[in-house]
Amino acid sequence: MALLEFEGVDAFYGRIQALRKVSISVEKGEVVALIGSNGAGKTTTLRTISGLMHPTNGTVMFDGRDITHTRPSRIVELGISQSPEGRRLFPRMSVVDNLFMGAYSRNDRPGIASDMERVFTLFPRLLERRTQIAGTLSGGEQQMLAMGRALMARPKVMMLDEPSLGLAPILIETIFSIVREINSQGTTVLLVEQNAHKALEVANRAYVLETGVIAQQGTGRDLLASEEVQKAYLGM
Amino acid sequence: MSLTDYGFYILCATAIVLLATQAFTNPKDFFQVTIFGLADGAIYALVALGYTMVYGIIELINFAHGDVFTLGAYIGAAILAFFAGANEGSFVVVNVIALLLVFPIVMLIMGGINITIERIAYRPLRNAPRLAPLITAIGMSFVLEGIMFMWHGAPTVHFPDLLPHGPGFQTTIGGVFFGFKDVFVVVAAAILVSLLAVFINGSKLGKAMRATAQDRDAAQLMGIDINRTIAATFFIGAVLAGAGGMIWGLYFNTIYYNLGFRTGLVAFTAAVFGGIGNIPGAAIGGLIIGLVAAYSDGYIGSKWTEVVIFGILIGVLVFRPTGLLGMRVPEK
Ligand SMILES: Nc1ncnc2c1ncn2[C@@H]1O[C@H](COP(=O)(O)OP(=O)(O)OP(=O)(O)O)[C@@H](O)[C@H]1O
Ligand SMILES: [Mg+2]
């Protein structure tokens, strides 16, 4: 069984249905990408996995456990963290305090300290800015902090919602190479992206979501080569 | 700077110049009034903190908060009645022990009551339109006042006079009188506010409360149980209000069932003045509003004081809704 199993999920905002029978699975060690245009339901999928909202139908399984109706704080403890859309940092807290909040579910002080070191190694920029108030960081720095904060939970699965949004091309390269690095260090990654090209390059496998329905799936390479995907998402 | 900013600064500057003139022409009266203002302001600060913390975390103006303050005084009076008697107004060991014992008890009881209020009256409405919990809070205010009314009726209630006063516990410096009570109020409030600051900035739960206030969904994604942090906020707000009620009782020795209505509105004004949601702002705002009230009592006439205070409330809401300190960092 896959590490994360999102099975036949329907999700609603009031009477608006955002997900229809969506099934996604993520194996241990993979990078899985979820692409699709605006309003397709990508963020809704991540919010449902994190327990911020619950499906009306379908199940979410993680590590052999049913987490369909589990509360968000417990889901983080079980090992799923998220760097949400729009970064959602704590704007009036320092960089270090934001990182500490990322480790809120843990109590192993030495482990937290060594993970903080690791985040600073991945993002040396954050080390320089560690006492700065998060709300005053640049967009790129905020994205690094959001990723670092999600890493501080020492997750089994890390979910990233549009980490490249609004960043300069050179910074996008950096972000994606860090995603690779995080993955190679053993963290499974579920990546939501508008930047389909980059996402499909890093991903082992990918799903294409269209207005709440999974339209296609396959390996990153297959989807990069697929005509429909090229037309719709790669602008070719 | 906009026109309204200039208006705000001109008003502040005028008030300060007028007060400075008084301070030079009649320093004795001025400092006497200042001492009264500081003592009242310290109590307003304790109450204002609860308003600002609750608003900061769930954007609710908790209209029942002033009554939580009064209920703290009522419960404190009831427990202290066991210790009081011939020893009122003097300095004896039993009074010290009583206060050291009863302060934490009342604070914990009020914390527990406020958690219960949040659980039954506000939490079920957390995702309802904002007006719903607001109206519930007004209702809760009537409920608490009703309980105190049924308990002791409309007349004022005596609060045991356990702080020493009279010769030996008062002094005049340069013609300005102050007693042990004045010092006690300010020191007690300062200790409580410092403890709050240490807790909010230093402890894990305190930081989680700040995180929840800044972004509730993001806080949940960190693994923070927001039901717990919101409950903790109500608990701490009531702990401070309960202590404030005790301090008020010890200072004035008279309490009544709807004391919280006016005190609550004044403290709310202080919270708005300091920037609603801003914790240091509420503490400073409380002191300033206490001083303003005292200067108004002293120089304009006490019947005008409410006009002055609520004029400030309206003025701040119209001209400077982010309060005196404003928000130092943009939200996003
Ligand atoms: N809070 C909400 N209330 C009502 N409808 C919502 C809400 N959030 C999202 N939706 C709707 O649900 C659908 C899916 O939204 P979602 O945010 O999951 O899309 P997305 O794929 O993340 O889009 P984007 O790439 O623009 O971030 C959209 O039609 C959106 O309008
Ligand atoms: Mg989205």
Side-chain angles (χ1 to χ4, degrees), chain B residues 95-186:
Chain B
N95 288 5
V96 179
I97 295 175
L99 290 179
L100 286 179
L101 216 69
V102 175
F103 255 97
I105 292 177
V106 168
M107 289 158 78
L108 289 178
I109 291 177
M110 293 321 296
I113 289 177
N114 217 28
I115 284 190
T116 314
I117 292 176
E118 190 273 331
R119 184 71 190 80
I120 58 178
Y122 306 144
R123 193 187 294 180
L125 296 172
R126 196 171 292 157
N127 298 315
R130 278 223 233 143
L131 199 55
L134 189 69
I135 291 169
T136 310
I138 295 172
M140 193 43 81
S141 163
F142 286 129
V143 169
L144 294 178
E145 287 187 11
I147 289 172
M148 289 184 281
F149 185 85
M150 290 197 312
W151 189 0
H152 282 301
T156 57
V157 175
H158 173 68
F159 193 100
D161 187 15
L162 295 189
L163 294 181
H165 49 79
F169 294 99
Q170 61 196 39
T171 179
T172 49
I173 298 180
V176 181
F177 169 90
F178 60 95
F180 178 82
K181 279 187 167 187
D182 301 301
V183 178
F184 171 82
V185 170
V186 175

Side-chain angles (χ1 to χ4, degrees), chain B:
Chain B
M1 281 216 311
S2 66
L3 207 62
T4 53
D5 277 342
Y6 283 115
F8 178 79
Y9 288 124
I10 289 170
L11 267 177
C12 289
T14 316
I16 289 169
V17 168
L18 286 177
L19 286 174
T21 322
Q22 288 296 337
F24 277 110
T25 52
N26 190 348
K28 183 170 147 290
D29 279 2
F30 178 80
F31 288 109
Q32 189 66 69
V33 172
T34 303
I35 285 177
F36 294 148
L38 284 178
D40 284 4
I43 298 174
Y44 292 139
L46 290 177
V47 183
L49 284 164
Y51 275 107
T52 230
M53 289 170 68
V54 164
Y55 186 86
I57 205 157
I58 56 169
E59 299 190 350
L60 167 70
I61 298 168
N62 183 10
F63 271 105
H65 190 64
D67 302 298
V68 169
F69 157 84
T70 317
L71 190 58
Y74 266 62
I75 293 178
I79 306 178
L80 283 175
F82 289 112
F83 297 91
N87 48 343
E88 289 206 11
S90 49
F91 183 75
V92 290
V93 178
V94 61
N95 288 5
V96 179
I97 295 175
L99 290 179
L100 286 179
L101 216 69
V102 175
F103 255 97
I105 292 177
V106 168
M107 289 158 78
L108 289 178
I109 291 177
M110 293 321 296
I113 289 177
N114 217 28
I115 284 190
T116 314
I117 292 176
E118 190 273 331
R119 184 71 190 80
I120 58 178
Y122 306 144
R123 193 187 294 180
L125 296 172
R126 196 171 292 157
N127 298 315
R130 278 223 233 143
L131 199 55
L134 189 69
I135 291 169
T136 310
I138 295 172
M140 193 43 81
S141 163
F142 286 129
V143 169
L144 294 178
E145 287 187 11
I147 289 172
M148 289 184 281
F149 185 85
M150 290 197 312
W151 189 0
H152 282 301
T156 57
V157 175
H158 173 68
F159 193 100
D161 187 15
L162 295 189
L163 294 181
H165 49 79
F169 294 99
Q170 61 196 39
T171 179
T172 49
I173 298 180
V176 181
F177 169 90
F178 60 95
F180 178 82
K181 279 187 167 187
D182 301 301
V183 178
F184 171 82
V185 170
V186 175
V187 170
I191 291 173
L192 289 166
V193 172
S194 314
L195 288 177
L196 176 73
V198 169
F199 171 77
I200 290 283
N201 295 314
S203 74
K204 193 170 169 181
L205 181 57
K207 284 183 186 177
M209 284 165 54
R210 280 164 59 213
T212 309
Q214 290 176 33
D215 191 326
R216 198 189 295 175
D217 275 357
Q220 299 200 70
L221 290 178
M222 302 301 107
I224 294 169
D225 180 347
I226 58 164
N227 283 334
R228 216 174 125 231
T229 50
I230 293 172
T233 306
F234 274 84
F235 183 86
I236 291 165
V239 159
L240 296 174
M246 286 280 293
I247 295 173
W248 173 288
L250 288 167
Y251 191 64
F252 293 107
N253 303 114
T254 302
I255 52 179
Y256 44 95
Y257 79 100
N258 61 357
L259 166 67
F261 179 71
R262 183 182 178 279
T263 314
L265 274 176
V266 174
F268 174 66
T269 304
V272 170
F273 191 74
I276 188 93
N278 183 323
I279 291 176
I284 297 167
L287 278 184
I288 293 179
I289 292 294
L291 287 169
V292 167
Y295 294 138
S296 164
D297 282 350
Y299 295 125
I300 306 176
S302 59
K303 60 176 182 286
W304 288 100
T305 299
E306 291 186 6
V307 175
V308 170
I309 289 176
F310 300 126
I312 289 179
L313 177 60
I314 294 169
V316 172
L317 286 176
V318 171
F319 294 120
R320 211 181 163 90
T322 52
L324 179 68
L325 303 180
M327 275 296 158
R328 276 163 296 183
V329 176
E331 257 318 304
K332 243 157 238 150

Side-chain angles (χ1 to χ4, degrees), chain A residues 39 42-44 85 161-162 192 194:
Chain A
K42 307 180 296 295
T43 298
T44 306
E85 180 168 39
D161 198 342
E162 307 211 22
V192 161
Q194 290 268 347

